Amino acid sequence: MANPALAHVLAHALTAAAHGFRVIPLTRAKLPAVRSPHHHDPGPPPCRGECGRLGHGVHDASADPEAIRALFAAAPWATGYGIACGRAPYHLIGLDLDLKSGSPGSPRGTRGTGATDGRAGTRKPGASGKDGTDGLAADGLAALARLARDHAFAIPPTVTVLTPSGGRHLWLCGPSGLAVPNSAGRLAPGIDIRGLGGYLVGPGSYGSHGSYRLAPGSPAWAPAPAPAALLRLLTPPRPAPHRSYRPGPPSPGPRPAALEGLVRFVRASREGQRNVRLFWAACRAYESGAGPELAPALIEAALDTGLAPREARATVASAARSAARHLQPPDAWA
């Protein structure tokens, strides 16, 4: 049976391409719709499209109308389209903001899934339920507002796409030559980043839980430049040489504002997010080299929110181990 959404979605994808965005067809699950030609091959895909066949996910993304029609012809079941991030001319950066069910603008009872959509009211992968948490996704809008306040930047009016679960995608332009990595929750709980190698679900798409549409008043195809302070947060520094983290006496003098911001971030935790916020803040502290100095203040802030002392210390110790592992060269991970 013909897919009634195909013509509608293809028209939207061609409109996006006419504005310079590179697109691919997506399934209702928001996955690339063209099946990989290497799906029978053992091991990882042997190429990223060098074989000349379709089915290489975001590597197929194109702004050429004929290439796009060929992609959709190869996937007549497509109900959406993805917009490749990190590619010229926009070098698009996507901020995927989760919203808790019941937050302002969040439809009641809606639930979202998938890597490129808000997951309001759903359990995050790996959420353990410790600290009394129910694993609910954090409020990405509030987290972004706190980051903007703590790091003195403002998000300019830009393309904003509303997701079926009540979340939203913000589109921003990045500078040429800067590769922003994809991440989930690294910037803050509730904020996923789509950068080079990732994609955003385009407006006019249909997913399993509803449609994606431009927010009222949003510019249609003109993403604003990302603030410089946000870009610095989105591009982690080069890994430092491995060092062992040993607790030591705190350094004299005031802490930098960014470190104080981590303490405030933990202290503002509510029930259901205390453990994940403490772990995230401790990871950032250890990655910056200030973990031993800041750990007591982070633990104290967590205790003020009601987290048990034993769990607070275990969470910070886990963050120290995680940071030490990721600051080593990859060949040392084994």
Side-chain angles (χ1 to χ4, degrees), residues 9 18 24 63 68 104 122 138 169 205 209 213 221 228 294 303:
V9 172
I24 54 170
I68 293 168
T122 62
H169 299 163
S205 297
H209 300 280
R213 64 194 189 281
W221 302 107
L294 202 63
L303 297 182

Side-chain angles (χ1 to χ4, degrees), residues 14-334:
L14 290 170
T15 299
H19 287 85
F21 296 95
R22 304 186 188 203
V23 304
I24 54 170
L26 300 179
T27 67
R28 292 180 65 85
K30 301 168 296 183
L31 298 174
V34 181
R35 190 176 190 182
S36 170
H38 310 293
H39 64 275
H40 289 309
D41 298 345
C47 73
R48 296 184 174 185
E50 295 87 353
C51 65
R53 292 176 288 176
L54 301 179
H56 295 82
V58 73
H59 303 293
D60 290 342
S62 176
D64 177 70
E66 292 308 311
I68 293 168
R69 290 189 177 94
L71 283 166
F72 276 84
W77 48 83
T79 63
Y81 66 101
I83 295 182
C85 296
R87 310 279 289 275
Y90 297 99
H91 305 283
L92 189 65
I93 301 167
L95 274 62
D96 179 357
L97 307 180
D98 290 330
L99 282 180
K100 283 185 177 178
S101 182
S103 298
S106 174
R108 290 185 182 181
T110 57
R111 302 174 74 87
T113 60
T116 55
D117 182 19
R119 291 173 287 277
T122 62
R123 184 173 294 278
K124 288 286 191 180
S128 65
K130 294 178 182 179
D131 162 38
T133 179
D134 52 8
L136 291 180
D139 186 336
L141 277 175
L144 182 60
R146 285 190 295 269
L147 281 171
R149 182 179 64 249
D150 291 344
H151 296 274
F153 66 85
I155 296 293
T158 192
V159 180
T160 303
V161 176
L162 303 180
T163 73
S165 62
R168 61 193 63 196
H169 299 163
L170 305 185
W171 298 14
L172 296 170
C173 289
S176 176
L178 180 67
V180 172
N182 296 284
S183 63
R186 187 192 71 82
L187 190 64
I191 302 178
D192 294 347
I193 302 300
R194 301 287 171 258
L196 185 62
Y199 59 86
L200 291 165
V201 181
S205 297
Y206 297 101
S208 299
H209 300 280
S211 63
Y212 293 75
R213 64 194 189 281
L214 284 172
S218 167
W221 302 107
L230 176 59
L231 287 174
R232 288 193 290 271
L233 295 174
L234 294 177
T235 50
R238 290 184 178 182
H242 172 58
R243 56 179 291 182
S244 59
Y245 296 108
R246 297 184 179 90
S251 302
R255 298 190 193 98
L259 298 183
E260 290 294 350
L262 292 176
V263 177
R264 291 197 301 272
F265 179 72
V266 172
R267 201 178 297 279
S269 304
R270 298 187 297 272
E271 185 176 358
Q273 57 181 212
R274 294 175 296 194
N275 206 15
V276 68
R277 278 177 165 247
L278 176 60
F279 181 79
W280 182 88
C283 283
R284 302 294 81 77
Y286 278 100
E287 287 168 0
S288 72
E293 170 193 346
L294 202 63
L298 292 174
I299 291 173
E300 180 182 357
L303 297 182
D304 288 345
T305 69
L307 195 63
R310 181 177 179 181
E311 185 163 8
R313 290 192 295 270
T315 297
V316 171
S318 177
R321 290 191 297 272
S322 176
R325 170 183 169 87
H326 289 288
L327 289 177
Q328 295 182 54
D331 59 4
W333 290 6

